[in-house]
Amino acid sequence: MEEVPSVFVRKSSGLVREVYPKDSFIYNVYFTAYFTALVFVYLIALYVVPAEALIPGLILSTFLFVFQVLVYSLMSIAMPRSGGDYVIISRALHPFMGFLSSWNWFIWLAFWFAFGGYTFSSVALSTMFLTLGLVTGNSSLVSIGDVLAEPIPALIIGTLIMLAFLAMTSFGLNKFIKVQLVTFIIGFIGILIGAIYLALCDPRIYAENLNRLISQYTGTSDSYNAIINAAKGLGWGPERIYGYTVEHLIKVLPAAYLAVPWTMGTVFIAGEISQPKKSQLIGGIGGLAFIGGLTVILAFLLEKAMGIEFFSAFSYLYYNPPQNLSIPIKPYFNTLAFLIIQNPLLNIWANLGFIFLGWMYMAQNLLNDSRLLFAWSFDRLIPEKFADVSERFKSPIYALLTVFIIAEIFLFIIIFVPELQVISSIMALSFSVIIMSLTAIFFPYRRRDLFERSTINWKVAGVPVISLLGLASLIVNLISNYYWITDPNYGAINDISIIAMLLVIVVGILIYLFGIYRLKRKGIEPSKIYTELPPV
C-alpha cells in the first residue's frame, strides 16, 4: 500500500524569527507604497471635497483605519505564522475563503511590484531629473526626465530595479532588514529637508519661484496666477475650497485608503517576527500613526507654502487639463514640494527620500508574495517545491523567483498595453480586507480553542474585542466601497478594473479546487490540514 504523506511538507518551516519591533515598524511603513500613493491621495481628495476638508478628513480617516490595522495585527498575534491572511482565514473561517483572499493579495502584490518597476523610471527618476533640471536651469536634465518616461527606458530600468530587489531579498530577511534601516534613515532625512523648505515658504515666495522656473514653458511671466485662472475658466471656483460638511470629511476616507491603512505588511512574515505581540502592534499601530500623521503634516505644509487656492486649482487641472496653457509639471506632491529646493544636493537628497518611501515597497511585495506561495506549498495545496528554504540564506528562493517572473510578465503588459495602466486594485484589496474583518468577527466562535489559548482573548461585556474590531473594520471598508461605486471621481471603477478583479477571483477558485483535488489524490484529507496551525 502506498504510504500517505504527512499533513505538512515537514516538521519545521525552516524560516527564522529575525524581525524585531523597529524592523516591523519600517517594514510596515514601506509596505504602504507611501509616496507612490500619496500623490493620488491629495489629488483625488481635492477633487471630491472642498480643500478645507482635506486635513480634518485625513485626521478622521487615520483614526478610522485603526480598526483595520488592529484586526490584522491582533489576528497575526493569535496565529504567528508566515503566509499572511491565508493561514489566518483558512484556520479561523474557511480554507476556501483563506485561499481566495490570499490569492487576491498575491496577484495584486505581483502587479504592483511590476507597476513599481514601471513607475520607478517613468515617475520617480523622471520627476527627479525634471525638478533638478528646472531648479538648476539645466535643460539637458529636463530632457533626460522626459526620456525616462518613455516605454523602452521604463522597461529596461524597471527590469533592473526588480532584479535588484530580487537579489536583495534572496540573501535572507536579516540582510534585507539592514538595507531597509539604512534606506529609511536616508529617506526620512530627505522628508525632513522637503518639510523644512515647505515650512519656510509662503505663497508669495512660492509664486516667485514657480514663475521663474516654468515661465519659459508656460509662455507667461505669472504662471502661478495663470494656473488659477485656467482652472476658473474650466469651472473651478470657491466652492471647491471653502465650507464643508461631515459627509465631506467621510468622503476623504476612500481617497486616504490608497496610502494610509496598509501598515500590516508584517502579517505576511509573522512566522519570522521576534516578539510577535510587541512587534505587530508597534509595526501596525506605530506605522499607522507615522503614515497618518505625516500625511496630515505634509498637507498642512503644502497648503501653507503654496496657498490653499493654488493647491486646489492645480489639482483640479490634473483632471481637467487646459488647452491654452502648457504646464511642464504635474501637481504631484514631490514636484510641488521640491521645486523650491534650490540647492542641487539637497534637492537630490529630498528626491531620494521620496524614492525610498515610495518604491521600497517593491521588496515587501516580493517578500510577502513569496510567503504566500510558501504557505500554500507548506499545506501541499500547490507543489511542495515552493516551500523549499535555502539553508544558507533562510529564504524560499524558488518562491521569490516565481514572483519575479510573474511580475516581469506584468511589467511587459503594463508598458505595452497602456490601457492596463488605469487599472485600480483598491476595491480588490478591500475585498480581502472585508474577508479578514469577517474572520475577526467569527474567530472566537468558530475556533474557540485557538481564541481562548491566544493572548488576544479579551472581552468587553462578554463580547470578544477582536469581534468588535472586525465589525468596525468591516463598516469602514463598506463605507469606502459605497463611495468608490457611487462616485466615479474616485477612479476606482472602470470596465477593465472590474474585468481584472473578476478574472482574478475566477482563476483563484479554479486553482483552489485543483489544489483540493490534488490533496485527495495524495490521500490527504484537507480538513486535517486546516484544523491545526502549521509548525513554526
Side-chain angles (χ1 to χ4, degrees), residues 131-305:
T131 55
L132 193 60
L134 289 173
V135 299
T136 59
N138 189 327
S139 59
S140 296
L141 292 177
V142 174
S143 299
I144 292 174
D146 292 335
V147 170
L148 289 171
E150 294 176 359
I152 298 302
L155 174 63
I156 295 171
I157 293 174
T159 299
L160 290 174
I161 194 65
M162 287 165 62
L163 281 170
F165 279 119
L166 175 63
M168 192 186 304
T169 54
S170 295
F171 288 115
L173 197 54
N174 184 46
K175 289 184 173 61
F176 169 72
I177 290 300
K178 293 175 182 176
V179 174
Q180 175 185 265
L181 177 61
V182 172
T183 58
F184 183 78
I185 292 172
I186 295 172
F188 186 69
I189 293 173
I191 295 171
L192 287 178
I193 291 170
I196 291 170
Y197 268 88
L198 286 172
L200 296 176
C201 189
D202 60 38
R204 180 188 61 80
I205 296 173
Y206 192 90
E208 290 176 356
N209 274 282
L210 185 74
N211 292 338
R212 177 174 53 81
L213 295 175
I214 71 170
S215 60
Q216 60 178 313
Y217 301 96
T218 60
T220 173
S221 60
D222 190 4
S223 300
Y224 182 90
N225 283 303
I227 288 172
I228 295 174
N229 291 330
K232 288 179 179 177
L234 292 169
W236 174 87
E239 71 282 356
R240 286 189 167 270
I241 306 175
Y242 306 108
Y244 61 86
T245 64
V246 172
E247 185 182 12
H248 285 132
L249 300 182
I250 296 172
K251 290 182 74 173
V252 175
L253 180 74
Y257 201 93
L258 272 70
V260 179
W262 304 107
T263 55
M264 64 264 196
T266 47
V267 172
F268 292 84
I269 58 168
E272 297 151 269
I273 299 288
S274 182
Q275 307 169 45
K277 190 171 185 178
K278 184 178 180 181
S279 293
Q280 294 291 15
L281 289 175
I282 289 177
I285 299 303
L288 176 63
F290 177 84
I291 291 295
L294 186 59
T295 305
V296 170
I297 290 169
L298 291 176
F300 170 79
L301 291 175
L302 285 168
E303 289 184 2
K304 173 194 170 298

Side-chain angles (χ1 to χ4, degrees), residues 25-53:
F25 168 79
I26 300 173
Y27 194 98
N28 284 332
V29 167
Y30 274 165
F31 184 61
T32 63
Y34 183 56
F35 279 141
T36 304
L38 183 66
V39 293
F40 298 104
V41 170
Y42 293 152
L43 286 172
I44 293 171
L46 289 172
Y47 198 60
V48 297
V49 302
E52 277 192 336

Side-chain angles (χ1 to χ4, degrees), residues 72 83-90 95-110 268 368-369 371-373 375-376 381 429 431-433 435-436 504 508 512:
Y72 275 85
D85 60 352
Y86 166 70
V87 174
I88 295 169
I89 298 172
S90 65
F96 170 68
M97 299 306 292
F99 180 79
L100 195 60
S101 179
S102 60
W103 167 256
N104 186 56
W105 271 110
F106 178 81
I107 290 299
W108 291 112
L109 289 182
F268 292 84
N368 291 349
D369 258 3
R371 271 42 176 190
L372 289 175
L373 280 173
W376 300 336
L381 199 60
L429 294 179
F431 168 71
S432 287
V433 175
I435 295 176
M436 184 64 134
V504 168
Y512 174 77

Side-chain angles (χ1 to χ4, degrees), residues 59-115:
I59 294 172
L60 174 63
S61 298
T62 300
F63 279 105
L64 292 177
F65 289 142
V66 167
F67 302 121
Q68 174 177 317
V69 174
L70 274 177
V71 162
Y72 275 85
S73 298
L74 294 178
M75 290 299 290
S76 69
I77 291 169
M79 297 181 232
R81 301 292 188 274
S82 291
D85 60 352
Y86 166 70
V87 174
I88 295 169
I89 298 172
S90 65
R91 271 66 179 180
L93 190 62
H94 193 278
F96 170 68
M97 299 306 292
F99 180 79
L100 195 60
S101 179
S102 60
W103 167 256
N104 186 56
W105 271 110
F106 178 81
I107 290 299
W108 291 112
L109 289 182
F111 179 85
W112 286 105
F113 178 52
F115 196 80

Side-chain angles (χ1 to χ4, degrees), residues 103-104 107-108 111 410 420 422-425 428 494-507:
W103 167 256
N104 186 56
I107 290 299
W108 291 112
F111 179 85
F410 276 140
L420 291 182
V422 301
I423 282 184
S424 171
S425 65
N494 55 57
D495 291 342
I496 196 167
S497 296
I498 295 172
I499 292 170
M501 285 187 283
L502 293 176
L503 183 61
V504 168
I505 291 172
V506 170
V507 172

Side-chain angles (χ1 to χ4, degrees), residues 21 74 127 140 190 217 255 259 283 343 359 367 369 397 405 418 430-431 450 471 486 536:
L74 294 178
T127 55
S140 296
Y217 301 96
N343 184 298
W359 276 265
L367 285 164
D369 258 3
I397 301 297
I405 292 171
S430 178
F431 168 71
L450 289 177
L471 179 61
T486 60
V536 177

